[in-house]
Amino acid sequence: MADTSTLGRPRSFDEALVLDQVTALFWRQGYAATSMSDIVEATGVHKPSLYRTFGTKEELFATVLRRYLDVRLDAFARFIESAGTGVEAVQYFLDLFEDNVVEGAGRDGCLLVMASNELHGTAPGFENFGSQSRGALRAALSILVERVQPDGESSDELVASRSTLLLTCLQGLQVISRSGDLAEIRRHIDAVRDLVDTWR
């Protein structure tokens, strides 16, 4: 909880809730189109309190991106933990990914992808967030890709190449999920599944 003030009287607000609200706002409107006045209206927290707690709009956005990346990495880790081994593990991961894209929050695309497109992958307070976030997600996927072949049969180069390719496909799917209909989304996911089947 963070202290704020209204007409000189102390009050408190839930920082996590405010960050959820601001994340949704940036996700919906984009960075440039979201003003501090928009953030005040969405959260009910006055500008001095926002600045005191989160810093400038740029710093607040950097906090939102880092937090969102942590959530994505946690989701990937949970998906991968339950996926098993072999090509079937990657296919199961894609099943979970499809469920999230079709029915869950993933239907709105990926905030990191959207922000990277808008800001060219850099933001004050989180420089090069585009490449850093892709690197972190690729490292998580490499754990899954390593399980495709029996121990000792996958080279580091092959794992790196397949992890990069899988991340590229997933990020492309997240762009499509925001603008395409469900039939189109499923068609593209099926194409990724066909590609993964060639890894047997």
Side-chain angles (χ1 to χ4, degrees):
M1 302 289 283
D3 290 335
T4 69
S5 60
T6 303
L7 300 177
R9 297 179 60 190
R11 69 184 279 264
S12 62
F13 65 87
D14 186 330
E15 286 188 30
L17 176 60
V18 167
L19 287 172
D20 285 342
Q21 294 167 328
V22 174
T23 298
L25 186 63
F26 280 129
W27 205 338
R28 183 171 64 252
Q29 297 185 177
Y31 173 78
T34 300
S35 67
M36 286 302 294
S37 295
D38 292 331
I39 293 170
V40 169
E41 182 177 355
T43 63
V45 180
H46 295 293
K47 284 184 185 179
S49 299
L50 289 168
Y51 286 127
R52 184 162 55 248
T53 304
F54 301 110
T56 64
K57 173 186 165 182
E58 291 84 0
E59 291 169 327
L60 173 57
F61 191 58
T63 297
V64 164
L65 289 175
R66 288 194 186 93
R67 185 170 179 262
Y68 180 85
L69 176 58
D70 288 342
V71 169
R72 296 290 294 173
L73 289 171
D74 182 64
F76 270 36
R78 286 185 285 105
F79 286 179
I80 292 167
E81 180 65 26
S82 62
T85 59
V87 166
E88 291 73 17
V90 183
Q91 297 290 13
Y92 179 70
F93 177 87
L94 289 172
D95 288 342
L96 296 175
F97 180 85
E98 180 177 8
D99 289 344
N100 179 259
V101 166
V102 170
E103 300 178 4
R107 189 69 177 85
D108 293 325
C110 174
L111 177 61
L112 288 164
V113 172
M114 292 167 54
S116 188
N117 288 340
E118 181 182 5
L119 302 177
H120 306 289
T122 64
F126 193 3
E127 283 71 19
N128 300 315
F129 74 85
S131 60
Q132 289 180 41
S133 62
R134 286 189 294 272
L137 292 168
R138 186 168 51 249
L141 287 173
S142 70
I143 297 171
L144 177 67
V145 171
E146 263 187 321
R147 301 176 186 170
V148 170
Q149 300 294 331
D151 290 346
E153 293 189 18
S154 274
S155 68
D156 291 343
E157 292 79 8
L158 183 60
V159 170
S161 177
R162 287 177 170 176
S163 301
T164 299
L165 180 59
L166 184 57
L167 177 62
T168 300
C169 291
L170 294 179
Q171 296 208 313
L173 287 169
Q174 286 163 332
V175 172
I176 294 167
S177 71
R178 189 171 174 88
S179 58
D181 60 29
L182 294 182
E184 182 184 7
I185 294 167
R186 290 192 169 101
R187 188 163 60 249
H188 283 273
I189 292 177
D190 286 343
V192 178
R193 288 195 178 99
D194 290 342
L195 171 66
V196 170
D197 268 336
T198 67
W199 295 355
R200 295 183 188 277

